[in-house]
């Protein structure tokens, strides 16, 4: 009997310890949203809620979890990075997502941006050119219970014809030009955001809107992303 009581007590202790651990990350996440996102001008309630909900620490290596809520990018393997939280929030807000929207992401990476989009939109389709990253993001997103995200391994330059057209498109790698297939797969009145410019130095965060088959571009400040690979690097 005594043994049983002791073991129940230990299980309880472990349970409290686990809860306490998660609580620390939740606190950090609240602080990140308040200090690095809200204070820097992001006001869309849906974006703030999404950033509060997604457990960013579970999308990086165990030894980087302590740094997951600092406002900078982190390595995710194969020389790639998970973008800094503020930039994720800024790009998501610019897309003005509605709960009925269908979104295409190019550059799944860790799956973090896809999860943030999936918290707001109806369906997220994400393409990743590195097979290992595509399969580990697919696994993480499944474990986290996201049922409205599809991840495909391939070159995002060509988009995802099967599910087009999209209300919104986001490229999370630096492109030296706008891939024409993606413009085609963007709905009328759709929004498309990408870091456009040099793939070696800085890019201009560019928001494209499509109206009556014409596109307009709004520049939103300079950013630095890892380069987009594949067809985009060949001549147009
Ligand atoms: N959105 C990611 C971070 C993106 S890092 C996150 O939230 O973690 C950029 C990613 O784009 C890398 O994983 C890289 O492999 C991928 N990528 C680069 N070129 C690509 C292409 N042509 N198609 C699809 N993915 C691409």
């Amino acid at each position: 009997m005594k043994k049983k009581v002791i073991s129940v007590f230990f299980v309880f202790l472990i349970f409290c310890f686990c809860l306490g651990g998660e609580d620390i990350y939740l606190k950090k996440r609240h602080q990140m949203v308040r200090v690095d996102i809200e204070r820097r001008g992001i006001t869309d309630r849906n974006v703030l809620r999404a950033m509060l909900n997604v457990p960013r620490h579970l999308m990086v290596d165990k030894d980087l979890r302590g740094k997951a809520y600092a406002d900078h990018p982190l390595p995710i393997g194969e020389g790639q990075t998970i973008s800094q939280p503020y930039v994720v929030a800024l790009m998501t807000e610019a897309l003005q997502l509605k709960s009925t929207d269908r979104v295409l992401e190019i550059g799944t990476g860790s799956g973090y941006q896809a999860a943030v989009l999936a918290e707001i939109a109806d369906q997220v389709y994400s393409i990743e050119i590195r097979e290992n990253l595509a399969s580990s993001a697919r696994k993480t997103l499944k474990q986290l219970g996201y049922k409205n995200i599809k991840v495909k391994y391939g070159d995002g330059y060509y988009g995802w014809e099967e599910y087009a057209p999209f209300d919104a498109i986001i490229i999370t790698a630096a492109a030296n030009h706008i891939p024409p297939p993606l413009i085609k797969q963007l709905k009328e009145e759709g929004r498309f955001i990408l870091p456009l410019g040099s793939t070696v130095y800085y890019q201009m965060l560019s928001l494209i809107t499509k109206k009556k088959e014409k596109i307009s571009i709004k520049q939103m400040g300079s950013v630095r992303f890892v380069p987009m690979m594949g067809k985009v690097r060949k001549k147009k």
Side-chain angles (χ1 to χ4, degrees), residues 94-104 121-123 125 163-170 182 185-193 207-210:
L95 291 176
Q96 295 174 33
L97 297 177
K98 290 191 292 295
S99 59
T100 49
D101 281 354
R102 186 193 279 264
V103 187
L104 175 69
D122 180 39
Q123 284 291 330
Y125 302 90
Y163 296 106
F166 301 98
D167 299 282
I169 300 179
I170 177 170
L182 297 183
Q185 293 179 21
L186 184 66
K187 261 190 201 169
E188 186 60 32
E189 303 279 329
R191 291 85 53 203
F192 176 3
I193 195 158
L207 177 67
I208 294 164
T209 41
K210 190 177 181 182

Side-chain angles (χ1 to χ4, degrees), residues 29 73 108:
R29 207 145 66 233
T108 317

Side-chain angles (χ1 to χ4, degrees), residues 14-174:
I14 290 168
F15 178 71
C16 290
F17 181 74
C18 292
L19 269 187
E22 282 311 303
D23 197 42
I24 288 174
Y25 290 119
L26 186 62
K27 268 191 194 152
K28 285 189 171 195
R29 207 145 66 233
H30 271 276
Q31 193 181 0
M32 169 193 89
V33 169
R34 214 177 43 246
V35 177
D36 298 318
I37 296 177
E38 233 177 333
R39 269 196 213 157
R40 291 175 70 187
I42 305 295
T43 54
D44 184 329
R45 299 318 297 173
N46 287 331
V47 175
L48 298 173
R49 178 184 48 80
M51 301 293 294
L52 264 183
N53 283 351
V54 181
R56 184 172 161 95
H57 64 286
L58 298 180
M59 310 197 105
V60 295
D61 261 7
K62 274 202 177 88
D63 54 343
L64 290 175
R65 281 185 185 168
K67 297 182 181 162
Y69 296 103
D71 198 36
H72 51 68
L74 286 173
I76 53 171
E78 305 206 16
Q80 306 306 303
T81 52
I82 178 172
S83 310
Q84 88 184 79
Y86 172 69
V87 172
V88 171
L90 183 68
M91 291 175 85
T92 309
E93 185 176 61
L95 291 176
Q96 295 174 33
L97 297 177
K98 290 191 292 295
S99 59
T100 49
D101 281 354
R102 186 193 279 264
V103 187
L104 175 69
E105 180 195 23
I106 312 304
T108 317
S110 65
Y112 178 66
Q113 172 76 72
V116 170
L117 297 167
E119 289 278 338
I120 308 170
D122 180 39
Q123 284 291 330
V124 176
Y125 302 90
S126 187
I127 307 176
E128 170 55 55
I129 205 165
R130 290 182 164 82
E131 195 167 10
N132 286 341
L133 290 179
S135 60
S136 70
R138 205 179 281 123
K139 205 168 123 199
T140 310
L141 292 166
K142 192 176 171 204
Q143 275 168 357
L144 291 175
Y146 287 100
K147 294 199 169 63
N148 58 341
I149 306 175
K150 276 194 166 54
V151 176
K152 172 166 105 165
Y153 157 55
D155 186 346
Y157 188 91
Y158 305 99
W160 201 334
E161 191 63 57
E162 195 185 341
Y163 296 106
F166 301 98
D167 299 282
I169 300 179
I170 177 170
I171 303 185
T172 59

